[in-house]
Amino acid sequence: MDALRTLGALTQVLRVRWYLFGAQAAVLWGRARTTADVDVTMEADPERIAELLREAKALGLRAREANAVELARRSRVVPLTTAGGFPIDLVLAGTGLEAQFMDRATPVRLGGVEVPVISPEDLVITKLIAGRPRDLEDIEGVLVERRESLDVGYIDAMIREIESALELDGLRSAWDELLQTTGLRR
């Protein structure tokens, strides 16, 4: 919770929006599992990375890489760590899907801290794009745990759009297989 509290303070200082995604969000929307880091996406101009790192340091966060500014400009990821050594991967939001996911983030109270969390539907989409075995397991957990409230039509439409726009073959078939495995209907 301290990492999330600190990230919330950082976003207030920088006056930017953010959301939690990745394994932590999968635990919230799906099934419990262990994770070794916190993944967040933040609105931040790549020209403000040095400022972001200064403010993060003032709040007790440290860059995990000596060349963090250069790395962030290339990869749009700022690898941080808390004073206790807990890793945080801070992704600088782009203008496309990440901005849309930011708009749809859901505030969740976690240990006295209000944290914007990627919606369950958008988490499914990000995990489907990543496509690793652990990601597919996370999707199954979300589908089972959120089956009554999940907007499957939204996910269907987004998958079609992403598959076409990014020329990613197989998203639709992987999605269909997950629906079949979990017994979820369109």
PDB file of all heavy atoms in Angstrom, residues 3 14 16 30 36 38 40 42 64 83 90 111 120 136-137 146 148 150 158 170 172 178-179:
ATOM      1  N   ALA A   3       3.579   1.823  -1.588  1.00  0.00           N
ATOM      2  CA  ALA A   3       3.969   2.145  -2.964  1.00  0.00           C
ATOM      3  C   ALA A   3       2.827   2.853  -3.685  1.00  0.00           C
ATOM      4  O   ALA A   3       3.055   3.848  -4.388  1.00  0.00           O
ATOM      5  CB  ALA A   3       4.374   0.880  -3.719  1.00  0.00           C
ATOM      6  N   LEU A  14       2.713  16.027  -9.829  1.00  0.00           N
ATOM      7  CA  LEU A  14       2.904  16.239 -11.263  1.00  0.00           C
ATOM      8  C   LEU A  14       1.621  16.669 -11.970  1.00  0.00           C
ATOM      9  O   LEU A  14       1.654  17.045 -13.143  1.00  0.00           O
ATOM     10  CB  LEU A  14       3.453  14.962 -11.919  1.00  0.00           C
ATOM     11  CG  LEU A  14       4.836  14.517 -11.458  1.00  0.00           C
ATOM     12  CD1 LEU A  14       5.171  13.146 -12.038  1.00  0.00           C
ATOM     13  CD2 LEU A  14       5.898  15.546 -11.833  1.00  0.00           C
ATOM     14  N   VAL A  16      -0.987  14.733 -12.936  1.00  0.00           N
ATOM     15  CA  VAL A  16      -1.265  13.811 -14.034  1.00  0.00           C
ATOM     16  C   VAL A  16      -2.159  12.682 -13.521  1.00  0.00           C
ATOM     17  O   VAL A  16      -2.240  12.425 -12.323  1.00  0.00           O
ATOM     18  CB  VAL A  16       0.039  13.219 -14.635  1.00  0.00           C
ATOM     19  CG1 VAL A  16       0.886  14.318 -15.268  1.00  0.00           C
ATOM     20  CG2 VAL A  16       0.837  12.445 -13.604  1.00  0.00           C
ATOM     21  N   GLY A  30      -9.696 -10.593 -10.490  1.00  0.00           N
ATOM     22  CA  GLY A  30      -9.744 -12.039 -10.729  1.00  0.00           C
ATOM     23  C   GLY A  30      -9.404 -12.837  -9.494  1.00  0.00           C
ATOM     24  O   GLY A  30     -10.062 -12.721  -8.470  1.00  0.00           O
ATOM     25  N   ALA A  36       5.684  -9.819  -8.089  1.00  0.00           N
ATOM     26  CA  ALA A  36       6.926  -9.253  -7.576  1.00  0.00           C
ATOM     27  C   ALA A  36       7.056  -7.757  -7.825  1.00  0.00           C
ATOM     28  O   ALA A  36       8.088  -7.178  -7.528  1.00  0.00           O
ATOM     29  CB  ALA A  36       8.110  -9.990  -8.209  1.00  0.00           C
ATOM     30  N   VAL A  38       4.767  -3.749  -8.955  1.00  0.00           N
ATOM     31  CA  VAL A  38       3.549  -2.976  -9.216  1.00  0.00           C
ATOM     32  C   VAL A  38       3.715  -2.360 -10.597  1.00  0.00           C
ATOM     33  O   VAL A  38       4.752  -1.775 -10.902  1.00  0.00           O
ATOM     34  CB  VAL A  38       3.359  -1.860  -8.162  1.00  0.00           C
ATOM     35  CG1 VAL A  38       2.242  -0.920  -8.560  1.00  0.00           C
ATOM     36  CG2 VAL A  38       3.079  -2.453  -6.797  1.00  0.00           C
ATOM     37  N   VAL A  40       2.089   0.387 -13.201  1.00  0.00           N
ATOM     38  CA  VAL A  40       1.172   1.509 -13.338  1.00  0.00           C
ATOM     39  C   VAL A  40       1.432   2.215 -14.663  1.00  0.00           C
ATOM     40  O   VAL A  40       2.537   2.175 -15.200  1.00  0.00           O
ATOM     41  CB  VAL A  40       1.285   2.521 -12.178  1.00  0.00           C
ATOM     42  CG1 VAL A  40       0.942   1.879 -10.846  1.00  0.00           C
ATOM     43  CG2 VAL A  40       2.646   3.172 -12.132  1.00  0.00           C
ATOM     44  N   MET A  42       0.988   6.054 -16.346  1.00  0.00           N
ATOM     45  CA  MET A  42       0.844   7.441 -15.920  1.00  0.00           C
ATOM     46  C   MET A  42       0.908   8.358 -17.127  1.00  0.00           C
ATOM     47  O   MET A  42       1.706   8.135 -18.036  1.00  0.00           O
ATOM     48  CB  MET A  42       1.987   7.782 -14.950  1.00  0.00           C
ATOM     49  CG  MET A  42       1.961   9.190 -14.409  1.00  0.00           C
ATOM     50  SD  MET A  42       3.394   9.553 -13.343  1.00  0.00           S
ATOM     51  CE  MET A  42       3.063   8.484 -11.959  1.00  0.00           C
ATOM     52  N   ARG A  64      15.669   2.444 -10.861  1.00  0.00           N
ATOM     53  CA  ARG A  64      16.411   1.177 -10.806  1.00  0.00           C
ATOM     54  C   ARG A  64      17.537   1.135 -11.827  1.00  0.00           C
ATOM     55  O   ARG A  64      18.354   0.232 -11.793  1.00  0.00           O
ATOM     56  CB  ARG A  64      15.463  -0.004 -11.054  1.00  0.00           C
ATOM     57  CG  ARG A  64      14.456  -0.203  -9.951  1.00  0.00           C
ATOM     58  CD  ARG A  64      13.742  -1.550  -9.979  1.00  0.00           C
ATOM     59  NE  ARG A  64      13.410  -2.090 -11.255  1.00  0.00           N
ATOM     60  CZ  ARG A  64      12.177  -2.139 -11.766  1.00  0.00           C
ATOM     61  NH1 ARG A  64      11.163  -1.617 -11.114  1.00  0.00           N
ATOM     62  NH2 ARG A  64      11.962  -2.700 -12.932  1.00  0.00           N
ATOM     63  N   ALA A  83      11.778   2.576  -1.141  1.00  0.00           N
ATOM     64  CA  ALA A  83      12.890   2.546  -0.192  1.00  0.00           C
ATOM     65  C   ALA A  83      13.122   1.124   0.320  1.00  0.00           C
ATOM     66  O   ALA A  83      14.254   0.734   0.601  1.00  0.00           O
ATOM     67  CB  ALA A  83      12.624   3.502   0.966  1.00  0.00           C
ATOM     68  N   LEU A  90       6.711   1.916 -14.092  1.00  0.00           N
ATOM     69  CA  LEU A  90       5.848   3.028 -14.436  1.00  0.00           C
ATOM     70  C   LEU A  90       5.895   3.216 -15.952  1.00  0.00           C
ATOM     71  O   LEU A  90       6.944   3.519 -16.502  1.00  0.00           O
ATOM     72  CB  LEU A  90       6.347   4.290 -13.714  1.00  0.00           C
ATOM     73  CG  LEU A  90       5.439   5.494 -13.730  1.00  0.00           C
ATOM     74  CD1 LEU A  90       5.752   6.367 -12.537  1.00  0.00           C
ATOM     75  CD2 LEU A  90       5.563   6.274 -14.994  1.00  0.00           C
ATOM     76  N   GLY A 111      -6.622  -0.453   1.229  1.00  0.00           N
ATOM     77  CA  GLY A 111      -5.913  -0.110   2.451  1.00  0.00           C
ATOM     78  C   GLY A 111      -5.928   1.365   2.782  1.00  0.00           C
ATOM     79  O   GLY A 111      -4.909   1.929   3.179  1.00  0.00           O
ATOM     80  N   PRO A 120     -11.834  -4.087 -15.576  1.00  0.00           N
ATOM     81  CA  PRO A 120     -11.647  -5.517 -15.839  1.00  0.00           C
ATOM     82  C   PRO A 120     -11.607  -5.833 -17.340  1.00  0.00           C
ATOM     83  O   PRO A 120     -10.803  -6.662 -17.781  1.00  0.00           O
ATOM     84  CB  PRO A 120     -12.851  -6.184 -15.174  1.00  0.00           C
ATOM     85  CG  PRO A 120     -13.434  -5.173 -14.258  1.00  0.00           C
ATOM     86  CD  PRO A 120     -12.998  -3.828 -14.735  1.00  0.00           C
ATOM     87  N   LEU A 136      -2.844 -15.357 -19.735  1.00  0.00           N
ATOM     88  CA  LEU A 136      -4.068 -16.094 -20.072  1.00  0.00           C
ATOM     89  C   LEU A 136      -4.729 -16.663 -18.820  1.00  0.00           C
ATOM     90  O   LEU A 136      -5.958 -16.668 -18.714  1.00  0.00           O
ATOM     91  CB  LEU A 136      -3.743 -17.188 -21.090  1.00  0.00           C
ATOM     92  CG  LEU A 136      -3.176 -16.674 -22.424  1.00  0.00           C
ATOM     93  CD1 LEU A 136      -2.824 -17.846 -23.342  1.00  0.00           C
ATOM     94  CD2 LEU A 136      -4.119 -15.711 -23.108  1.00  0.00           C
ATOM     95  N   GLU A 137      -3.926 -17.104 -17.843  1.00  0.00           N
ATOM     96  CA  GLU A 137      -4.480 -17.554 -16.560  1.00  0.00           C
ATOM     97  C   GLU A 137      -5.165 -16.395 -15.837  1.00  0.00           C
ATOM     98  O   GLU A 137      -6.230 -16.578 -15.239  1.00  0.00           O
ATOM     99  CB  GLU A 137      -3.376 -18.133 -15.674  1.00  0.00           C
ATOM    100  CG  GLU A 137      -2.823 -19.455 -16.152  1.00  0.00           C
ATOM    101  CD  GLU A 137      -1.619 -19.910 -15.324  1.00  0.00           C
ATOM    102  OE1 GLU A 137      -1.487 -19.469 -14.146  1.00  0.00           O
ATOM    103  OE2 GLU A 137      -0.813 -20.686 -15.846  1.00  0.00           O
ATOM    104  N   ARG A 146     -15.713 -12.188 -12.615  1.00  0.00           N
ATOM    105  CA  ARG A 146     -16.505 -11.023 -13.032  1.00  0.00           C
ATOM    106  C   ARG A 146     -17.563 -11.372 -14.078  1.00  0.00           C
ATOM    107  O   ARG A 146     -18.125 -10.482 -14.705  1.00  0.00           O
ATOM    108  CB  ARG A 146     -15.587  -9.930 -13.605  1.00  0.00           C
ATOM    109  CG  ARG A 146     -14.540  -9.458 -12.654  1.00  0.00           C
ATOM    110  CD  ARG A 146     -15.149  -8.603 -11.586  1.00  0.00           C
ATOM    111  NE  ARG A 146     -14.211  -8.509 -10.469  1.00  0.00           N
ATOM    112  CZ  ARG A 146     -14.485  -7.969  -9.323  1.00  0.00           C
ATOM    113  NH1 ARG A 146     -15.651  -7.432  -9.127  1.00  0.00           N
ATOM    114  NH2 ARG A 146     -13.604  -7.937  -8.363  1.00  0.00           N
ATOM    115  N   GLU A 148     -20.622 -12.006 -14.216  1.00  0.00           N
ATOM    116  CA  GLU A 148     -21.945 -11.367 -14.177  1.00  0.00           C
ATOM    117  C   GLU A 148     -21.904  -9.900 -14.605  1.00  0.00           C
ATOM    118  O   GLU A 148     -22.907  -9.366 -15.057  1.00  0.00           O
ATOM    119  CB  GLU A 148     -22.547 -11.475 -12.775  1.00  0.00           C
ATOM    120  CG  GLU A 148     -22.755 -12.906 -12.303  1.00  0.00           C
ATOM    121  CD  GLU A 148     -23.673 -13.713 -13.201  1.00  0.00           C
ATOM    122  OE1 GLU A 148     -24.676 -13.156 -13.692  1.00  0.00           O
ATOM    123  OE2 GLU A 148     -23.383 -14.904 -13.422  1.00  0.00           O
ATOM    124  N   LEU A 150     -19.123  -8.355 -16.439  1.00  0.00           N
ATOM    125  CA  LEU A 150     -18.171  -8.062 -17.509  1.00  0.00           C
ATOM    126  C   LEU A 150     -18.891  -7.680 -18.807  1.00  0.00           C
ATOM    127  O   LEU A 150     -19.848  -8.331 -19.201  1.00  0.00           O
ATOM    128  CB  LEU A 150     -17.304  -9.300 -17.747  1.00  0.00           C
ATOM    129  CG  LEU A 150     -15.914  -9.096 -18.290  1.00  0.00           C
ATOM    130  CD1 LEU A 150     -15.068  -8.234 -17.369  1.00  0.00           C
ATOM    131  CD2 LEU A 150     -15.221 -10.434 -18.487  1.00  0.00           C
ATOM    132  N   MET A 158     -13.392  -4.364 -29.139  1.00  0.00           N
ATOM    133  CA  MET A 158     -12.011  -3.882 -29.021  1.00  0.00           C
ATOM    134  C   MET A 158     -11.025  -4.879 -29.617  1.00  0.00           C
ATOM    135  O   MET A 158     -10.062  -4.476 -30.280  1.00  0.00           O
ATOM    136  CB  MET A 158     -11.666  -3.603 -27.555  1.00  0.00           C
ATOM    137  CG  MET A 158     -12.342  -2.376 -26.993  1.00  0.00           C
ATOM    138  SD  MET A 158     -11.887  -0.845 -27.856  1.00  0.00           S
ATOM    139  CE  MET A 158     -10.158  -0.732 -27.444  1.00  0.00           C
ATOM    140  N   GLY A 170      -4.647 -13.888 -34.306  1.00  0.00           N
ATOM    141  CA  GLY A 170      -4.795 -14.809 -33.195  1.00  0.00           C
ATOM    142  C   GLY A 170      -5.463 -14.259 -31.950  1.00  0.00           C
ATOM    143  O   GLY A 170      -5.802 -15.033 -31.055  1.00  0.00           O
ATOM    144  N   ARG A 172      -8.438 -12.896 -31.665  1.00  0.00           N
ATOM    145  CA  ARG A 172      -9.841 -13.339 -31.678  1.00  0.00           C
ATOM    146  C   ARG A 172      -9.956 -14.818 -31.327  1.00  0.00           C
ATOM    147  O   ARG A 172     -10.805 -15.206 -30.524  1.00  0.00           O
ATOM    148  CB  ARG A 172     -10.426 -13.068 -33.069  1.00  0.00           C
ATOM    149  CG  ARG A 172     -11.870 -13.350 -33.186  1.00  0.00           C
ATOM    150  CD  ARG A 172     -12.654 -12.251 -32.542  1.00  0.00           C
ATOM    151  NE  ARG A 172     -14.054 -12.525 -32.752  1.00  0.00           N
ATOM    152  CZ  ARG A 172     -14.979 -11.997 -32.008  1.00  0.00           C
ATOM    153  NH1 ARG A 172     -14.673 -11.178 -31.058  1.00  0.00           N
ATOM    154  NH2 ARG A 172     -16.226 -12.275 -32.229  1.00  0.00           N
ATOM    155  N   LEU A 178     -10.777 -18.720 -24.649  1.00  0.00           N
ATOM    156  CA  LEU A 178     -10.974 -18.367 -23.240  1.00  0.00           C
ATOM    157  C   LEU A 178     -12.457 -18.343 -22.876  1.00  0.00           C
ATOM    158  O   LEU A 178     -12.840 -18.789 -21.787  1.00  0.00           O
ATOM    159  CB  LEU A 178     -10.333 -17.012 -22.947  1.00  0.00           C
ATOM    160  CG  LEU A 178      -8.815 -17.033 -22.833  1.00  0.00           C
ATOM    161  CD1 LEU A 178      -8.242 -15.635 -23.025  1.00  0.00           C
ATOM    162  CD2 LEU A 178      -8.396 -17.620 -21.500  1.00  0.00           C
ATOM    163  N   LEU A 179     -13.283 -17.834 -23.770  1.00  0.00           N
ATOM    164  CA  LEU A 179     -14.726 -17.839 -23.517  1.00  0.00           C
ATOM    165  C   LEU A 179     -15.239 -19.266 -23.385  1.00  0.00           C
ATOM    166  O   LEU A 179     -16.031 -19.570 -22.485  1.00  0.00           O
ATOM    167  CB  LEU A 179     -15.473 -17.105 -24.645  1.00  0.00           C
ATOM    168  CG  LEU A 179     -15.333 -15.586 -24.676  1.00  0.00           C
ATOM    169  CD1 LEU A 179     -15.993 -15.025 -25.927  1.00  0.00           C
ATOM    170  CD2 LEU A 179     -15.899 -14.945 -23.430  1.00  0.00           C
TER     171      LEU A 179
END
